[in-house]
Amino acid sequence: MNLKYRNQRTAEATARYWNKSLDRADWYKIEALSDDEAEILIYDLIGWPFNDAGEFARSLAGISAKTITVRINSPGGDVFDAISIFNALQSHKAKIITRIESLAASSASFVALAGKEVQAYRNAMMMIHEPWVYSAGNQYDLREIAGILEKISGNMVDIYAANSSVGKRELRDMMKNETWFTAKEAMDRGFIDSIVDGKAVKAAFDLSMFANVPEGIETQPEGGREMTEREIERVLRDAGCSRSFAKYAASRAAGGSHDMGGNQRDAESLKTAIKSLEYLFTGGQ
């Protein structure tokens, strides 16, 4: 499969949204607690374009401790990289304990389920939803992409079903509706094994791309920035809008107006462009 979204322009745009450097190398940390115990912190977005799942897998393979505790606070990220991390954790010879310390949302939710023992702080949360992408193309391209998303969704359902007491039909409904769980709700459904005492850290991520974020979850929409008129016009043109409409729509959008006008083709292209903007400035999964 050709992952066309993994290009330099999209990577740079995503990095600007999150106010993060593409060169940042501290997305996880490994610490030896003793000869028999080690600890891994995953406190960031997962996968492309910020970090490399292969790097994580190689580092994990080098740990000889008998017990590894993986502490998680993540809004999710690239689904393919997250599955790679899930598989690397599950196949490691050590006893893997995963602990949700604040948030395990989106693809971070099944990374959390990789543990032989899954823990969560009492005020931590977990979220599952359908995988999504930004895409533009003809009917054949979009049907192919829809088919791939269906397969990814099926893989995710299999992971959740194998690591919980929830049936596949109910899981599909939960994913479709973007479902958030408290630690108790997650434990009642078998996603986690135990609730541990202690105060969870704040999530400290912009969760505005998700539809059903519960009240009281702190987000950081101020972490992004306003797009310039030229950037909006470029994305609209890339999505297939006519030059004149892209220029007009960009000027109106930059000025805060949503009365775009335009013909039917431009209207449909604008819908695609909106998805483009969401992807470019929120990341993949």
Side-chain angles (χ1 to χ4, degrees), residues 68-81:
I68 301 173
T69 300
V70 183
R71 300 166 54 188
I72 300 168
N73 179 28
S74 172
D78 189 280
V79 65
F80 296 112
D81 288 338

Side-chain angles (χ1 to χ4, degrees), residues 41-236:
L41 274 73
I42 299 178
Y43 262 54
D44 211 333
L45 295 154
I46 292 173
W48 189 91
F50 300 108
N51 45 67
D52 177 20
E55 174 196 341
F56 179 91
R58 287 187 292 272
S59 298
L60 179 66
I63 302 176
S64 58
K66 294 180 180 179
T67 302
I68 301 173
T69 300
V70 183
R71 300 166 54 188
I72 300 168
N73 179 28
S74 172
D78 189 280
V79 65
F80 296 112
D81 288 338
I83 287 176
S84 175
I85 292 171
F86 172 87
N87 289 332
L89 289 169
Q90 284 229 314
S91 62
H92 198 278
K93 62 183 179 181
K95 177 183 178 181
I96 302 293
I97 300 172
T98 53
R99 181 183 302 150
I100 304 172
E101 301 218 326
S102 181
L103 177 67
S106 193
S107 64
S109 63
F110 48 84
V111 171
L113 297 181
K116 292 181 176 68
E117 180 181 342
V118 183
Q119 305 173 346
Y121 281 121
R122 191 169 302 278
N123 55 345
M125 297 202 75
M126 174 182 172
M127 183 272 279
I128 65 175
H129 71 141
E130 282 288 327
W132 61 268
V133 297
Y134 156 68
S135 182
N138 60 39
Q139 58 179 312
Y140 305 106
D141 297 327
L142 298 181
R143 287 193 182 103
E144 179 184 5
I145 291 168
I148 293 170
L149 283 174
E150 184 177 8
K151 292 178 181 179
I152 295 171
S153 179
N155 287 339
M156 292 168 63
V157 168
D158 288 343
I159 291 172
Y160 293 136
N163 295 277
S164 75
S165 58
V166 184
K168 290 187 177 182
R169 180 176 296 181
E170 186 177 358
L171 282 166
R172 291 188 186 96
D173 289 338
M174 288 177 170
M175 290 168 61
K176 184 178 180 180
N177 295 322
E178 184 188 299
T179 304
W180 292 74
F181 305 100
T182 63
K184 184 179 184 304
E185 289 168 340
M187 189 168 70
D188 289 344
R189 290 162 177 79
F191 289 111
I192 67 173
D193 301 306
S194 61
I195 296 174
V196 296
D197 292 330
K199 184 178 181 181
V201 296
K202 292 183 179 180
F205 301 110
D206 180 3
L207 306 177
S208 60
M209 74 288 291
F210 300 131
N212 300 320
V213 180
E215 291 185 11
I217 298 244
E218 186 169 328
T219 64
Q220 291 185 326
E222 67 274 12
R225 64 178 182 84
E226 295 294 325
M227 294 178 66
T228 67
E229 183 175 332
R230 184 174 181 181
E231 287 172 331
I232 296 172
E233 181 179 347
R234 185 198 72 203
V235 176
L236 292 174

